[in-house]
Amino acid sequence: MNFTENEIFGAALIGFDMIDGPFLKWKKEYDNKNKNVRLDDFAMNFYLAFRGGNESVKKPRAILYDNFYIVAFPRDLELCCLFMKPKDLENNISQLNKIASRIITEMENDKDDDNTKDSDENTIEEIERLIPNLLNGTKMTTPELRRYFKLSNSQIWKVMSDLENSNKIIRAGKKGRSVYWTAK
Amino acid sequence: MLCSEIDKLAKVTLIGYPATGKTTLTKLLAQNEINRLYFPTHGLDLKTVKLEEYILRVWDLGGQQSYLKTYSRDYLLGSDIIFIVTDSTPRNVLNSRELINYACHFVGKDCPIIAIANKQDLVKTDGRMDYKRVEDILHIKTYGLTAIDPSERVKLLNIIKKELDKIAIRRRRKD
């Protein structure tokens, strides 16, 4: 990895208290102009991002955000985070975004194999409770919703029809053959 | 951290099924902007809130089953107050009984388990249950709230303050 020390704009040591959990133990900001990260607010979230989950699960060494990245080095339960602002990240992200879009399109084309198991009645009721929340102030297509809930095509249409009939959701347009839905 | 500060630290844990309003309640406490879009909490979120002499560490655990199964045990331990958050729909209230039983396994009698019957603004229009009915079903102290209403912050803080004061009295008696 090529970098210069100038790219480090901050460092933090996040400690861990057995009762209270992660806390910001120490911090140093090398570049006062950089207001990307409010360390006090995000220290605990960074800790979980790097250390969360079971010990057996692989942990990230670095996490890339919109315009900076963090590299973390664990020391027992503590975590030393270096906040980096690398050069040309915007361009790299834009290139990677194009690749990701291609992969998503590929997946969309392959997804028609409908081998999802039928969900039980209790799960369907829970889904009917969640969908109006999910569609509150936003629009989603039927296939998008189907993927969120691991439902079969026939099941998602049954759920959407029920919700439409009970006036909880309405149709908000079409995208190709897919219907957009939104909460009423 | 000084001993006097540790005495005033309180761990407030919110658990509940997805989309019941745990994150909105957390944002309400932290005075963060509340919008109506629903984004599920992945894992958990933590906020620190100052309440008079207390410092509240608010733990907002994602309601998805995998999070509840994997993490809730660890996050419930050491709680000073546990809030079971329901969206006041009949099904969700009934399901929440399971969470109460679950939470009881991990905390002692000193830790109050309190239900929040959220989304009370929808009682008349969307068939949500009145908080008193929720209390009858859950058999634990239940408060009705509308987390999207910033004016409810004072009410929530008062609930927490009242419970923390009770805990402090119990602890002093023990000492």
Side-chain angles (χ1 to χ4, degrees):
Chain A
M1 186 186 285
N2 291 323
F3 74 96
T4 68
E5 276 190 39
N6 298 337
E7 289 172 25
I8 302 176
F9 67 85
L13 186 65
I14 304 172
F16 189 87
D17 179 281
M18 286 296 180
I19 300 294
D20 294 313
F23 67 100
L24 183 63
K25 205 169 186 179
W26 176 88
K27 69 171 178 176
K28 187 164 185 177
E29 285 170 59
Y30 299 104
D31 177 3
N32 287 330
K33 290 174 199 162
N34 204 309
K35 298 291 176 197
N36 275 322
V37 195
R38 288 183 303 175
L39 297 180
D40 302 273
D41 289 353
F42 289 106
M44 288 186 275
N45 285 339
F46 291 142
Y47 187 91
L48 285 163
F50 284 103
R51 305 294 301 265
N54 296 320
E55 273 305 310
S56 56
V57 176
K58 296 258 184 216
K59 301 287 193 299
R61 299 287 298 274
I63 295 176
L64 181 65
Y65 287 81
D66 277 350
N67 48 11
F68 70 98
Y69 72 100
I70 306 174
V71 186
F73 299 92
R75 199 182 57 187
D76 299 327
L77 280 175
E78 292 178 343
L79 190 71
C80 182
C81 296
L82 299 178
F83 296 83
M84 318 278 293
K85 193 169 173 60
K87 286 170 190 158
D88 210 23
L89 186 61
E90 293 291 333
N91 182 41
N92 290 340
I93 290 289
S94 145
Q95 296 297 321
L96 288 168
N97 192 16
K98 284 178 193 163
I99 295 170
S101 300
R102 244 184 5 243
I103 291 167
I104 291 166
T105 313
E106 221 172 279
M107 184 201 73
E108 292 277 321
N109 295 335
D110 290 348
K111 77 173 167 32
D112 283 336
D113 302 345
D114 193 357
N115 54 4
T116 317
K117 282 183 198 164
D118 275 1
S119 300
D120 63 38
E121 200 180 319
N122 201 12
T123 310
I124 293 287
E125 278 189 40
E126 180 70 352
I127 291 168
E128 286 186 352
R129 187 182 68 80
L130 289 174
I131 285 179
N133 283 288
L134 205 55
L135 293 174
N136 203 355
T138 190
K139 293 189 286 188
M140 288 173 82
T141 62
T142 327
E144 281 170 336
L145 287 163
R146 185 172 84 85
R147 280 199 300 276
Y148 275 30
F149 295 105
K150 292 188 279 186
L151 290 176
S152 65
N153 260 327
S154 56
Q155 278 182 317
I156 188 70
W157 273 105
K158 167 91 174 55
V159 167
M160 300 314 279
S161 304
D162 287 350
L163 289 170
E164 191 181 27
N165 290 337
S166 55
N167 284 325
K168 291 193 169 159
I169 58 165
I170 51 171
R171 290 167 198 249
K174 274 193 127 186
K175 180 189 178 186
R177 287 184 303 160
S178 306
V179 175
Y180 268 116
W181 301 92
T182 190
K184 199 171 177 188
Chain B
M1 193 173 274
L2 299 168
C3 285
S4 56
E5 284 179 317
I6 291 169
D7 280 347
K8 295 297 175 190
L9 259 180
K11 179 175 175 179
V12 177
T13 311
L14 301 172
I15 59 167
Y17 288 108
T20 52
K22 299 176 292 298
T23 302
T24 310
L25 284 165
T26 310
K27 284 180 175 175
L28 181 73
L29 282 172
Q31 290 182 292
N32 292 153
E33 191 190 344
I34 294 169
N35 61 41
R36 305 266 182 125
L37 288 176
Y38 169 58
F39 293 107
T41 301
H42 292 295
L44 82 149
D45 196 17
L46 293 153
K47 302 257 188 234
T48 305
V49 178
K50 185 97 175 68
L51 168 59
E52 295 179 19
E53 71 270 34
Y54 296 108
I55 298 162
L56 310 179
R57 286 273 169 82
V58 185
W59 297 61
D60 166 25
L61 182 64
Q64 280 67 24
Q65 284 293 333
S66 57
Y67 293 142
L68 287 171
K69 277 183 198 158
T70 315
Y71 299 119
S72 58
R73 182 184 172 277
D74 296 325
Y75 291 124
L76 288 171
L77 288 174
S79 297
D80 292 297
I81 304 175
I82 294 173
F83 285 113
I84 309 283
V85 185
T86 87
D87 67 0
S88 306
T89 54
R91 166 71 62 181
N92 184 250
V93 171
L94 287 171
N95 286 344
S96 298
R97 291 183 303 184
E98 194 186 332
L99 288 178
I100 298 169
N101 294 336
Y102 184 71
C104 287
H105 287 296
F106 301 113
V107 289
K109 284 179 184 169
D110 273 356
C111 173
I113 299 175
I114 296 162
I116 298 284
N118 193 23
K119 311 197 186 187
Q120 287 290 291
D121 55 324
L122 301 174
V123 166
K124 285 179 184 158
T125 54
D126 191 37
R128 308 291 167 128
M129 296 166 82
D130 177 71
Y131 77 95
K132 284 177 187 159
R133 281 200 65 204
V134 175
E135 188 168 65
D136 289 342
I137 291 171
L138 296 181
H139 302 298
I140 57 170
K141 182 73 193 157
T142 302
Y143 293 94
L145 273 174
T146 301
I148 52 167
D149 178 359
S151 69
E152 297 269 86
R153 181 173 187 263
V154 178
K155 184 177 173 185
L156 182 55
L157 287 174
N158 284 339
I159 295 166
I160 296 171
K161 176 80 169 53
K162 199 168 95 182
E163 293 299 332
L164 289 176
D165 287 346
K166 280 189 210 164
I167 293 168
I169 292 167
R170 278 200 297 270
R171 282 181 187 162
R172 273 200 294 273
R173 276 185 196 151
K174 265 187 188 174
D175 291 344

